[in-house]
Amino acid sequence: MNVDVTALPGIGVRKDFEVRSGRRIGVVAHRDGDIDLIVSKMDDPDACAAQIPLSTDEAAVLANLLGAPQLVAKLNDEHSDLPGITTRQLPIADESPYEGRTLGETAMRTRTKVSIVAVMRAGQLHPSPGPDFTFTSGDVLVVVGTPDGLDAAAKILTHG
């Protein structure tokens, strides 16, 4: 899929792509750091039907929402020939007992036999986090294991 990059003199840069419906969706990265999510009109790809300003935190959350499912889908495809192996996204919520604590403190592998293969944070992928990786609220963990192990991991991240 091609992403078109258009300089907007005095404003910043527009990056967008065409979706199946024929509309274009993308972002405008302003020179001052502001970010807008944009959607074109159906009949005019250069005219904006919606423009939604996003804070840096909101843009990071949107990136996590879009990035983690793609990674999970790819890993599920790669594990499709391995019966009993599943990939799931598990969030670190504000109230998680592991918010601000390290992966090692969860003893996740020992307790559940699952592996945390990546963490999505603020739109950035952190592959193969080590035991000293500190979780923060909003992180989305990509976890691989058996369905029972994944259920147990979700409970640990929620209740300790």
Side-chain angles (χ1 to χ4, degrees), residues 5-71:
V5 179
T6 306
L8 303 173
I11 298 171
V13 177
R14 173 181 170 160
K15 298 177 184 177
D16 62 354
F17 65 98
E18 187 172 328
V19 295
R20 280 180 289 184
S21 69
R23 285 186 172 201
R24 298 191 70 79
I25 188 168
V27 296
V28 173
H30 294 260
R31 292 173 51 183
D32 64 3
D34 288 345
I35 302 167
D36 293 332
L37 178 65
I38 57 170
V39 179
S40 73
K41 289 186 175 179
M42 205 53 160
D43 57 345
D44 185 355
D46 292 324
C48 200
Q51 182 172 349
I52 304 164
L54 299 174
S55 70
T56 303
D57 288 341
E58 291 165 339
V61 168
L62 181 59
N64 275 352
L65 291 174
L66 296 172
Q70 289 178 325
L71 180 58

Side-chain angles (χ1 to χ4, degrees), residues 17-125:
F17 65 98
E18 187 172 328
V19 295
R20 280 180 289 184
S21 69
R23 285 186 172 201
R24 298 191 70 79
I25 188 168
V27 296
V28 173
H30 294 260
R31 292 173 51 183
D32 64 3
D34 288 345
I35 302 167
D36 293 332
L37 178 65
I38 57 170
V39 179
S40 73
K41 289 186 175 179
M42 205 53 160
D43 57 345
D44 185 355
D46 292 324
C48 200
Q51 182 172 349
I52 304 164
L54 299 174
S55 70
T56 303
D57 288 341
E58 291 165 339
V61 168
L62 181 59
N64 275 352
L65 291 174
L66 296 172
Q70 289 178 325
L71 180 58
V72 168
K74 182 175 178 170
L75 289 170
N76 277 333
D77 274 353
E78 290 175 4
H79 297 136
S80 63
D81 59 343
L82 301 172
I85 300 296
T86 306
T87 304
R88 193 181 298 171
Q89 306 173 68
L90 300 177
I92 299 291
D94 290 337
E95 59 277 358
S96 171
Y98 290 101
E99 196 283 327
R101 294 176 63 193
T102 66
L103 185 154
E105 290 178 270
T106 68
M108 191 68 69
R109 181 94 177 110
T110 302
R111 295 168 69 187
T112 66
K113 307 295 186 251
V114 303
S115 295
I116 299 172
V117 298
V119 176
M120 290 290 296
R121 175 183 292 160
Q124 296 291 325
L125 179 66

